[in-house]
Amino acid sequence: MEVEVCLQTFGPGQRTPIHRHSCEEVFVVLKGKGTLLLGSSSMKYPGQPQEIPVFQNSTFTIPVNDPHQVWNSDEHEDLQVIVVISRPPIKVFFYDDWNMPHTAAKLQFPIFWDEECLTAPKDEL
């Protein structure tokens, strides 16, 4: 199994862009609290997201291609998470808002954290 693991810290009020990707994702909340906004991949656009509270020592998963956003909704404390993704490097699609059609989401590949890891293929000989 191939996975990528990283530590992310969100300051008070910070959030990820609305996005989806070609892999499963697992979060473990080390400290703080926040909100997971989770849209649908079964409609033509993400729609009104579910708002799921997350807090210290909680774990949550994001299914493949489900649009989502992680938000530190706390005004005073950092939200710190360990993120595990399957099958790196991943293709990430970004949305302007929750009503943007899936087909209009903008692909970014490689994603910025993978750019330093990806090197030119070496000749096997």
Side-chain angles (χ1 to χ4, degrees), residues 2-100:
E2 293 183 27
V3 297
E4 187 172 287
V5 179
C6 66
L7 175 67
Q8 287 186 318
T9 302
F10 300 91
Q14 286 186 324
R15 60 178 76 205
T16 65
I18 302 166
H19 66 286
R20 65 178 165 88
H21 33 71
S22 57
C23 69
E24 297 146 322
E25 188 171 30
V26 176
F27 288 81
V28 179
V29 181
L30 299 179
K31 74 175 198 174
K33 59 186 176 198
T35 305
L36 167 65
L37 302 167
L38 186 61
S40 171
S41 60
S42 63
M43 299 187 304
K44 291 184 179 183
Y45 55 90
Q48 182 65 36
Q50 296 177 59
E51 294 189 20
I52 303 165
V54 298
F55 44 87
Q56 186 172 353
N57 296 323
S58 65
T59 302
F60 58 96
T61 61
I62 309 294
V64 174
N65 283 322
D66 274 6
H68 60 284
Q69 182 176 53
V70 178
W71 171 34
N72 180 356
S73 49
D74 190 283
E75 296 178 7
H76 306 288
E77 188 178 0
D78 286 350
L79 172 64
Q80 190 171 61
V81 295
I82 292 177
V83 182
V84 182
I85 59 171
S86 62
R87 302 184 305 238
I90 62 173
K91 293 180 180 176
V92 180
F93 296 84
F94 291 95
Y95 294 79
D96 294 334
D97 58 48
W98 293 99
N99 295 313
M100 184 177 194

